Structures are given as C-alpha cells and as structure tokens.
Amino acid sequence: MGKKFSELRFEDWIEQSLLNKGYHSSFTHSGDHESRYSKDLCLVEDEVISFIKSTQTDEYERLYTQFEESTDSHLLKKISDSIASRGIIKTLREGVSTRGCSFELLYFKPKSSLNKEHTDLYSRNKFQVVRQLHYSTRNRNSLDMVLFLNGIPIITMELKNQLSGQSIEDSQKQYRKDRDPKEPLFQFKRCLAHFCVDNDKISMTTRLSGDSTKFLPYNKGITNPIVPEDYRTEYLWNEILTPDSILDIIENFVLLSQESEKEWSNEKKMVVEKKYEVLIFPRYHQLEVIRNLRSKVKEEGVG
C-alpha cells in the first residue's frame, strides 16, 4: 500500500483492509450512492438485481413475464418488505418468493468442493464497503461505514481515531443521540449488528433504542493485545468481517431469541412479565472456540 498504517487515516486503513479481503468499493466517487442507494428500501438496488439476474436467470425471466418493466421494482419492494417484517436473518437464509417464483439472496459455502455449480454460485456473492452513507430522507446524517452483501446492508460502523481525541464512547453516544431507531435502516432486525470501533476497543449492539441502547464489549480480552503494523482492533476486519466469516456467521451463529423480564405495571398495579425478541450476534470468543474446534475435527478426520 506504500504507507505504514500509522500514516493512514483509520477509516482508510479499515476500508483498504476489507478490499484486500475480498470486498468491493461499489461507489466510485463521493455522492455516487445518493442515486444508487434507496433510503426507503434500504437497498443498493442495482447490486441486488445484478446478483439475482446473474445467479437465477431463469427464475428472473419467469417473473419478468408477469411484471415486465415493473419486475425490478416489484422484486426490490418484496425483499425490503421481507427484511422489515421477517428480519434480515430469516430473509437471507430463506430468500423470498413472489408470484410462484423463489429467489435466493446469497449462497452459503458448499459442504464439498466437488459441487462445482454451488461453488460457482458461492463465488458470486458480492460484499461492498461504503463510506459515509447518507441513510436518511429527513437529514444529511451519514454513517462512517456500512457493509453490504449483494446490495443488502448487514453491518453499520461508527469509527473513531484516538489520535483525533475520540473513542468508542463517542461512537456509542452518536448511535444513542444521532441515530434515530425509527429510521428504516436502524429498525430492529434490519441489520446484523452496529459496531463502535476505535484504535484499541470495540463494542456492538443489535438493537438501537435511543438513550436506552445497550452496547456489549467486543474485545479479545480486557485489553486487546498490541499488533505490530496494525491496530489493536484489527481482528474485526481481518477475522470477523471477512466474506467467508460473515457468511458462516449468518448461516450458523446469528439467532433470534425470545427473552422476558418482570416489571411493575402502574396500570395493572402488579408485576407483569414483558416478552421481547433479542438478536444475538456471536462474541469474538464464541466464534474462536467453535471455529478452532471445527479445525481440530477436520485435521484429525473425526466424524
């Protein structure tokens, strides 16, 4: 890259690292996403349609016979509505169906490399990194970084560089104060997770709730170890957010859980049980343990 990481802006370094891992920079110039990203549908429309056309041509043509020039807009709305109602995980895992046609929105890694067709489809998954995404129709706020899979947003990040006097605490404040959970992109289950990242620490949440937003630490330990020629938080973009890792997480780790808590109801004058959904994104150590176990089993030929 020509420069040591310490000489680059933090955001530049993360973006370039992701590009080196297989991501694409979809928007070629500042403001390009203004015309390509739908703030209402929360989709990069041409990327979604391009993926479907290139991987499911026959099915797309079947739908086209029914909607003709309206096919793309119908399909995009169907996908957006599915994510809004069923959530990102269920929609990505199960795809969408409309008018007798079914569409996959991603392809998971085949269990065997002998399946050439599936291997080819897996290789067509496209990951995009977008800087300064303007996500709202009501203001000019932008997110530092958003990661997309086949045109669908999956991860948002607010990045802070300690050299400029800020940290993940500032990211957390930004999400709580300036990221309205009523915005389509920030509604619960629309994205996998929202990360706060600085040079040394990471935290994350899967539900934005204004001032009530709870962030969990996403560190390797109490203190992340020093990494020569990289940042302490490099494991996020070098391990967790790589294309293979994200697809593995979507397929095998992220889950929705029903939880409950008891609280006093002034209206009923009694303690009531409140049930709610929780979207669980795996912590670093959970992934590390299971993936190490997988590797050991594979190496020893067990099972």
Side-chain angles (χ1 to χ4, degrees):
M1 291 187 301
K3 292 184 179 181
K4 291 184 179 180
F5 80 95
S6 59
E7 297 172 336
L8 290 172
R9 291 178 61 230
F10 188 44
E11 297 91 335
D12 293 336
W13 181 260
I14 295 175
E15 179 185 36
Q16 188 57 57
S17 297
L18 289 170
L19 295 177
N20 292 342
K21 294 292 184 181
Y23 278 74
H24 301 268
S25 184
S26 291
F27 303 142
T28 56
H29 58 82
S30 179
D32 187 18
H33 69 267
E34 291 293 336
S35 61
R36 296 182 57 200
Y37 175 74
S38 170
K39 298 172 184 176
D40 294 319
L41 298 178
C42 298
L43 299 170
V44 181
E45 297 180 340
D46 59 338
E47 295 285 358
V48 177
I49 296 301
S50 175
F51 172 76
I52 289 174
K53 280 185 175 181
S54 68
T55 58
Q56 300 154 87
T57 307
D58 292 344
E59 202 73 352
Y60 178 85
E61 290 179 353
R62 283 183 60 212
L63 190 65
Y64 191 87
T65 62
Q66 301 180 61
F67 289 95
E68 297 184 341
E69 299 303 320
S70 301
T71 302
D72 290 359
S73 59
H74 172 82
L75 190 50
L76 290 165
K77 187 176 188 307
K78 183 70 179 180
I79 293 168
S80 181
D81 288 348
S82 175
I83 296 173
S85 61
R86 298 195 298 157
I88 184 75
I89 294 303
K90 197 171 183 66
T91 300
L92 288 178
R93 285 176 178 166
E94 299 179 2
V96 296
S97 297
T98 178
R99 295 294 186 91
C101 300
S102 298
F103 297 93
E104 303 292 342
L105 301 178
L106 57 71
Y107 288 96
F108 293 117
K109 193 170 187 176
K111 305 305 179 186
S112 169
S113 59
L114 297 177
N115 189 332
K116 300 300 183 183
E117 182 181 356
H118 195 157
T119 299
D120 176 64
L121 290 171
Y122 180 74
S123 71
R124 296 187 185 223
N125 288 313
K126 187 175 181 181
F127 284 79
Q128 302 99 358
V129 51
V130 178
R131 298 267 296 275
Q132 298 304 316
L133 180 75
H134 292 279
Y135 58 83
S136 178
T137 59
R138 297 180 291 169
N139 57 55
R140 294 295 297 165
N141 289 350
S142 63
L143 284 156
D144 285 340
M145 191 170 287
V146 181
L147 306 184
F148 290 79
L149 169 55
N150 300 327
I152 300 171
I154 53 173
I155 299 285
T156 78
M157 291 190 280
E158 292 292 355
L159 312 173
K160 302 301 174 187
N161 192 338
Q162 274 97 324
L163 295 177
S164 63
Q166 294 188 309
S167 67
I168 61 169
E169 282 75 20
D170 295 285
S171 296
Q172 292 171 0
K173 181 179 179 181
Q174 202 167 18
Y175 272 121
R176 288 185 175 120
K177 301 292 185 182
D178 301 330
R179 305 293 175 245
D180 186 352
K182 293 180 181 178
E183 289 278 359
L185 182 60
F186 298 137
Q187 291 174 6
F188 180 54
K189 298 190 292 185
R190 172 65 79 168
C191 289
L192 299 178
H194 308 282
F195 282 94
C196 300
V197 188
D198 67 25
N199 305 165
D200 300 328
K201 297 179 181 178
I202 302 172
S203 65
M204 58 81 69
T205 185
T206 58
R207 183 194 286 269
L208 294 179
S209 307
D211 290 337
S212 301
T213 302
K214 298 177 181 178
F215 288 94
L216 298 173
Y218 203 85
N219 300 315
K220 282 188 169 183
I222 297 176
T223 301
N224 283 323
I226 294 173
V227 181
E229 294 299 303
D230 212 326
Y231 296 95
R232 290 175 184 257
T233 49
E234 57 78 32
Y235 57 90
L236 182 64
W237 51 89
N238 286 328
E239 297 178 43
I240 304 301
L241 300 181
T242 64
D244 283 349
S245 173
I246 283 291
L247 287 165
D248 180 36
I249 288 170
I250 293 171
E251 183 179 19
N252 299 305
F253 291 94
V254 183
L255 59 91
L256 276 171
S257 173
Q258 288 283 346
E259 298 192 5
S260 63
E261 61 182 19
K262 294 181 178 180
E263 61 180 30
W264 176 259
S265 171
N266 289 324
E267 182 181 346
K268 296 183 178 180
K269 305 299 182 184
M270 61 183 292
V271 174
V272 297
E273 187 176 53
K274 181 181 177 183
K275 294 184 178 181
Y276 57 95
E277 278 188 315
V278 177
L279 178 60
I280 300 174
F281 189 94
R283 307 290 284 276
Y284 178 84
H285 288 295
Q286 293 171 325
L287 283 172
E288 184 181 44
V289 168
I290 294 175
R291 285 173 171 173
N292 285 342
L293 182 60
R294 277 186 194 163
S295 296
K296 186 175 181 180
V297 168
K298 188 174 181 180
E299 288 172 5
E300 296 179 357
V302 179

